[in-house]
Amino acid sequence: MERTTEDSAQVAGIVLAAGGGRRLGGRPKALLAHRGRPLVEHAAHALREGGCAPVHIVLGAAAGAVRARARLDGYVLVDNPDWEEGMGSSLRAGLASLAGTGAKAALVALVDQPGIGAEAVARVVAAYRSPSTLAAAAYGGERGHPALFGADRWADIAASAVGDRGARAYLRAHQSAITLVDCSDIARTDDIDTPEDLTLLE
């Protein structure tokens, strides 16, 4: 039997890929090479393969170079002119870009976590129940990424997303509403933040 759009969760994906890599000497994380291609491609592919549609990618630092060097056909590219304010501005830009798409939830992933792939994305997407759903991957019982935000919560999440906190303050205040989805067996949460972390890339 054919699935209708009503049957599907309509979970959109957002890749936060605007950071300038300050602790990496100003190397934008989106363009770091992993398995021969820029990190941003891996993150976007994981969301698409994990069941997110559409997938929006928030760009900031070196946005022109990312557009030129990464293969991002079929994705929606969102420019965040305020990227230097921190992750909060990128989250706000990503959520705002979903207006009018019909998405009932947004799954948010970070560009600098190559150990999180489509399997973990699919598990968190499967936790969607309604536009008020809050869910997140968990590792050893601790909340991590990716995280899923039902559309009914976007306005409040955006209002709380300031500086580098992203959705952290909102999630802390609504901890009891979060469905934690264990992904410890299928994903690694390493961030690429410092020159030492570059050894995690392949």
Side-chain angles (χ1 to χ4, degrees):
M1 183 174 147
E2 192 175 322
R3 284 170 65 92
T4 68
T5 52
E6 269 310 302
D7 294 327
S8 66
Q10 294 180 330
V11 176
I14 298 175
V15 179
L16 301 183
R22 189 177 67 254
R23 286 184 286 172
L24 288 166
R27 298 169 64 185
K29 294 181 180 182
L31 288 174
L32 293 175
H34 178 56
R35 298 178 184 169
R37 297 303 308 162
L39 266 185
V40 66
E41 288 184 21
H42 294 277
H45 184 74
L47 266 59
R48 178 182 279 169
E49 292 299 302
C52 296
V55 175
H56 290 207
I57 303 170
V58 182
L59 302 178
V66 175
R67 279 183 157 86
R69 290 168 51 188
R71 299 174 190 149
L72 299 174
D73 294 340
Y75 299 103
V76 178
L77 304 185
V78 179
D79 283 306
N80 174 19
D82 302 318
W83 64 269
E84 289 183 276
E85 292 179 9
M87 189 192 302
S89 67
S90 290
L91 179 56
R92 293 195 305 271
L95 291 174
S97 74
L98 293 179
T101 63
K104 296 175 182 172
L107 182 129
V108 178
L110 308 181
V111 76
D112 66 347
Q113 293 187 318
I116 294 175
E119 281 185 285
V121 170
R123 274 195 195 173
V124 179
V125 166
Y128 173 84
R129 295 292 178 270
S130 77
S132 64
T133 297
L134 273 183
Y139 305 90
E142 296 293 319
R143 176 174 53 77
H145 289 92
L148 183 146
F149 309 134
D152 289 353
R153 297 182 180 271
W154 293 352
D156 288 342
I157 289 172
S160 73
V162 294
D164 270 324
R165 289 187 308 173
R168 196 178 309 154
Y170 184 89
L171 291 173
R172 191 178 297 124
H174 296 81
Q175 198 162 325
S176 62
I178 302 171
T179 299
L180 292 179
V181 181
D182 184 54
C183 293
S184 334
D185 59 324
I186 53 170
R188 293 193 336 268
T189 60
D190 311 301
D191 294 311
I192 311 300
D193 281 333
T194 67
E196 292 72 30
D197 297 333
L198 295 173
T199 59
L200 299 168
L201 298 173
E202 298 174 21

